[in-house]
Amino acid sequence: MKILAIDTSCDETSAAVVDGRRVLSNVIYSQVLLHKKWGGVVPSIAKRAHEERIDFVVDEALKKSKFQISNVKHSFDICHLDFDIKNSMSKIDYLAVTYGPGLAVALEVGIKKVKELSKKYNKKIIPVNHMEGHIYSCFTQNSKGNPKREFTFPYLVLLVSGGHTEIVLWKDYLDFQIIGKTTDDAAGEALDKAAKMLGLGYPGGPVIERLAEEAGNVDPYKFPRPMRKSGDLNFSFSGLKTAFYYFLQKMPEEEKNKMIKELVSSFQEAVFDSLLIKTEAAIKQIGIINLVVAGGVAANRELRKRMKNLAKKYKGSVVYPPYKYLNGDNAAMIGVAAFFKAKAGIFVKHIEAFDRIPRLSL
Ligand code: KG4
Ligand code: ZN
């Protein structure tokens, strides 16, 4: 089953062609450089960039999936290009798109494009929750079908991105239940904000990871671990962020500069400790030892190591997205999630009424 998938939930314009779990092509046009100087994603800039790039990204995904007639190379000849796309589209079974959660003005661009393709080529649309996509990113394969991971339900999923921090009980393909979540900021958001306070740029996660590694992932400052004793599986990062802010205010500039690696390392440890404490509590409470870790923050080597050790302690297993590009936002994971939804017969019924849901939950 071949699916053309689109994701424009935040600051990456992405399209992919998948065949079941196999990714035939995945194109990501990142907007990071456009937002960097503002220290975060600016909705109006995101909207315009998605609008400017979406056609190109979709065409590229179709071309790269090798469905195009390869001997026709008139990429700049509109007539021929149109013919090529028509030919590629005839090999696509369904369309898929992220309809939430995410930035409303960004989601709208992908939805508009998918509706246009649906009308023009008479294809059904599969609506995909962006977080469902992140979960399936761990079971996404390359074009040769690797890695050959089997599903061994149930799983405990730790979803950690810039907008979400959730523990999800994943009982079966389309059966998700959120059992813990952040009450304020997401883990990635906390890392981004800490980096911003120190003028380290956006996104903060990767730069903090690198500096913390250089410091040996030490924890000299012991910042608070909010809600560690709350008795539930929820998280909170805004108190930690505030504590970090006031700590920096009191620190002489010279010392701050000298200790910057140790500072961010300690901050990262506090965030990861919170994630580990609640994941371990979930393992004990629910009794599931197979873990899935996904979302942008899942790229972090220190977090991966710590989650691996946690799974080992309980004689369980842990899976992460198998390829680097699958950690961040991408349309391949949306296509794979869509494959399982299509098998269950989940399609958009009324295309005209189909709309984005920015605060969509799993
Ligand atoms: O999943 P994602 O790309 O977008 C959302 O759906 O939010 O996640 C982005 C988040 C950002 O907060 C970014 O700082 C964080 O993931 N991130 C990382 C790393 N790479 C990206 N956090 C920690 N370590 C990383 N290597
Ligand atoms: Zn995401």
Side-chain angles (χ1 to χ4, degrees):
M1 184 196 296
K2 294 182 184 78
I3 297 173
L4 168 65
I6 295 177
D7 183 274
T8 60
S9 57
C10 189
D11 58 349
E12 325 274 6
T13 315
S14 184
V17 176
V18 302
D19 186 359
R21 281 163 66 187
R22 293 188 304 121
V23 181
L24 304 183
S25 68
N26 181 69
V27 178
I28 303 172
Y29 202 152
S30 176
Q31 301 176 7
V32 162
L33 293 176
L34 297 179
H35 300 292
K36 216 177 178 92
K37 72 170 171 181
W38 306 104
V41 178
V42 182
S44 57
I45 296 177
K47 175 183 159 72
R48 199 169 58 235
H50 282 308
E51 283 171 344
E52 282 168 5
R53 297 165 176 195
I54 188 75
D55 291 345
F56 170 78
V57 167
V58 168
D59 292 354
E60 280 298 297
L62 286 168
K63 265 188 217 161
K64 289 194 169 147
S65 71
K66 297 197 179 78
F67 291 151
Q68 299 272 79
I69 295 175
S70 53
N71 59 357
V72 182
K73 288 219 168 81
H74 306 275
S75 328
F76 297 104
D77 179 331
I78 299 297
C79 296
H80 280 94
L81 186 65
D82 206 35
F83 170 74
D84 268 359
I85 289 167
K86 206 188 261 175
N87 193 279
S88 305
M89 284 304 297
S90 70
K91 308 219 169 58
I92 297 287
D93 298 296
Y94 301 113
L95 302 166
V97 70
T98 301
Y99 72 113
L103 213 55
V105 291
L107 292 163
E108 282 165 7
V109 180
I111 291 177
K112 187 171 166 229
K113 179 71 188 173
V114 97
K115 282 185 180 182
E116 180 193 307
L117 291 169
S118 166
K119 274 190 205 142
K120 194 164 176 190
Y121 299 104
N122 193 26
K123 308 276 177 199
K124 284 187 187 176
I125 301 173
I126 306 152
V128 180
N129 180 315
H130 183 76
M131 303 318 288
E132 242 170 19
H134 273 302
I135 293 176
Y136 274 106
S137 69
C138 293
F139 295 88
T140 294
Q141 300 172 327
N142 67 11
S143 61
K144 297 191 173 65
N146 292 315
K148 300 194 190 320
R149 278 175 188 164
E150 295 306 325
F151 291 91
T152 49
F153 293 111
Y155 291 100
L156 270 182
V157 185
L158 177 66
L159 269 177
V160 268
S161 73
H164 291 259
T165 301
E166 283 155 7
I167 299 179
V168 178
L169 172 55
W170 190 15
K171 289 187 222 157
D172 204 348
Y173 291 99
L174 301 171
D175 189 351
F176 306 103
Q177 188 191 339
I178 297 175
I179 54 173
K181 62 180 179 184
T182 182
T183 53
D184 40 58
D185 294 350
E189 188 181 359
L191 293 169
D192 292 341
K193 286 179 176 167
K196 196 174 176 181
M197 285 179 212
L198 290 163
L200 294 172
Y202 170 85
V207 59
I208 289 184
E209 173 181 42
R210 183 172 54 76
L211 294 176
E213 248 169 24
E214 284 172 21
N217 293 308
V218 290
D219 185 15
Y221 296 106
K222 307 262 180 294
F223 295 116
R225 273 66 169 155
M227 292 182 73
R228 69 175 305 159
K229 294 203 171 87
S230 63
D232 56 22
L233 300 174
N234 294 332
F235 306 90
S236 165
F237 295 104
S238 94
L240 167 65
K241 177 188 67 187
T242 310
F244 190 64
Y245 175 79
Y246 285 112
F247 190 85
L248 293 182
Q249 292 291 304
K250 284 193 221 125
M251 208 172 192
E253 208 59 31
E254 204 176 297
E255 199 192 339
K256 213 189 288 177
N257 291 336
K258 198 172 127 215
M259 299 304 286
I260 197 151
K261 291 179 184 173
E262 288 74 11
L263 278 166
V264 295
S265 180
S266 247
F267 187 85
Q268 183 181 269
E269 284 300 299
V271 172
F272 290 176
D273 254 1
S274 297
L275 297 176
L276 266 286
I277 289 165
K278 293 303 170 95
T279 307
E280 182 160 12
I283 294 175
K284 284 186 187 157
Q285 217 177 87
I286 318 281
I288 293 172
I289 52 170
N290 290 327
L291 310 177
V292 167
V293 187
V297 187
N300 190 287
R301 288 178 290 272
E302 177 65 10
L303 179 64
R304 286 185 176 216
K305 193 177 93 192
R306 293 189 61 178
M307 291 300 292
K308 197 172 155 194
N309 289 340
L310 177 65
K312 210 165 146 191
K313 181 172 163 190
Y314 290 90
K315 299 193 168 41
S317 65
V318 57
V319 288
Y320 313 99
Y323 301 105
K324 204 161 179 249
Y325 78 91
L326 291 168
N327 289 308
D329 290 344
N330 66 87
M333 66 185 191
I334 303 301
V336 173
F339 165 63
F340 291 98
K341 298 188 90 164
K343 285 212 294 186
I346 300 171
F347 298 100
V348 170
K349 286 199 188 81
H350 305 289
I351 291 190
E352 292 307 327
F354 177 49
D355 203 357
R356 81 279 188 291
I357 306 182
R359 293 186 166 273
L360 181 68
S361 180
L362 266 175

